[in-house]
Amino acid sequence: MLIQISAGQGSPKECELACYLFYKELLTEFPNLEVVSTNFSDKQCLKSAVFYSEQDLSFLEGSVQWRCRSLFRENHKRKNWFIDVSILQDKFRFDKDDDIRYEAFRSSGKGGQNVNKVSTAIRAIHIPTGISVVSMDQRSQIQNKKIAYLRLMKKIDEKNSSINKVIQYENWNKHNQLTRGNPVRAYKGLNFKRVK
């Protein structure tokens, strides 16, 4: 599972510091977490980070509150800072080589003596997606099968790519979904002590 922590889009430095402190807290609490990516604005200010975990950490999804006076703006009245924890969709990939069905049928049109007599045309169908392609370019069934396979692989790659673009957009959009209030966890003070 992929977990993203984020200070949110256009967040103040205080939220980025809270994100950094929570990042360190997660690495301590869950030592098997693998850091996939980080986006630091400076040494101790983290805009976002993505982790990979074998265990189910979906209970962390939501907002995290940090109650602390601002370290960046003296006399600032606000003392509550929020960051977001989201479960991201992993990259999707159809298994290309499994579940391909080939159907032979008779070609039509020009092609000499084999036309309408021998089943040399091939239809390749990827069963999980329903994607199908046809090859009747060659006189040989074996050659048409190779061509159909290559065409099918190209179509499946296009399908994977379009699905992953949607996933990537949805994951990026989670930076904007930071909600304040009703946090799943709360911390206070400079020592980032957990209170909830």
Side-chain angles (χ1 to χ4, degrees):
M1 115 177 323
L2 288 174
I3 305 114
Q4 174 180 264
I5 62 172
S6 170
Q9 294 284 43
S11 57
K13 281 281 191 193
E14 292 85 355
C15 291
E16 292 179 7
L17 177 57
C19 194
Y20 173 73
L21 294 171
F22 189 61
Y23 166 84
K24 292 198 325 183
E25 174 77 11
L26 286 178
L27 290 176
T28 303
E29 189 176 341
F30 305 103
N32 293 330
L33 271 182
E34 181 182 326
V35 178
V36 176
S37 66
T38 55
N39 181 9
F40 284 90
S41 60
D42 63 40
K43 192 176 180 182
Q44 290 189 329
C45 290
L46 181 66
K47 290 178 180 266
S48 65
V50 176
F51 304 94
Y52 174 77
S53 174
E54 290 285 339
Q55 70 184 100
D56 182 4
L57 298 179
S58 55
F59 61 89
L60 291 171
E61 190 166 32
S63 64
V64 173
Q65 178 187 28
W66 180 42
R67 293 196 304 261
C68 189
R69 63 178 177 79
S70 172
L71 298 177
F72 303 101
R73 295 176 279 178
E74 198 175 331
N75 301 322
H76 190 68
K77 291 180 182 178
R78 184 172 159 193
K79 291 187 174 72
N80 288 311
W81 314 101
F82 291 89
I83 62 169
D84 178 70
V85 181
S86 296
I87 305 303
L88 301 181
Q89 288 189 20
D90 208 345
K91 278 197 168 185
F92 183 82
R93 189 133 199 99
F94 285 113
D95 193 2
K96 297 194 289 190
D97 289 330
D98 289 347
D99 298 324
I100 297 174
R101 186 175 75 234
Y102 295 97
E103 297 173 352
F105 61 96
R106 293 179 182 170
S107 296
S108 60
K110 296 178 181 177
Q113 295 177 351
N114 285 345
V115 174
N116 294 322
K117 295 178 185 170
V118 181
S119 298
T120 57
I122 294 290
R123 177 178 292 110
I125 304 160
H126 186 243
I127 296 166
T129 59
I131 297 171
S132 68
V133 295
V134 171
S135 174
M136 56 178 81
D137 305 33
Q138 304 296 321
R139 293 182 186 184
S140 159
Q141 190 181 90
I142 293 170
Q143 289 173 327
N144 279 331
K145 188 174 181 180
K146 286 179 184 174
I147 292 168
Y149 175 81
L150 292 173
R151 287 179 181 165
L152 188 62
M153 293 303 104
K154 185 176 180 199
K155 289 248 186 192
I156 293 170
D157 281 341
E158 288 168 1
K159 180 87 168 170
N160 283 330
S161 179
S162 67
I163 290 171
N164 282 318
K165 280 180 185 171
V166 171
I167 289 172
Q168 188 178 16
Y169 174 76
E170 287 173 355
N171 289 343
W172 177 86
N173 204 32
K174 289 194 177 188
H175 284 290
N176 300 321
Q177 296 176 359
L178 177 58
T179 54
R180 288 160 178 82
N182 197 24
V184 293
R185 282 194 178 189
Y187 296 85
K188 69 175 184 179
L190 293 174
N191 58 354
F192 209 67
K193 183 181 178 184
R194 186 172 172 188
V195 292
K196 177 183 175 182

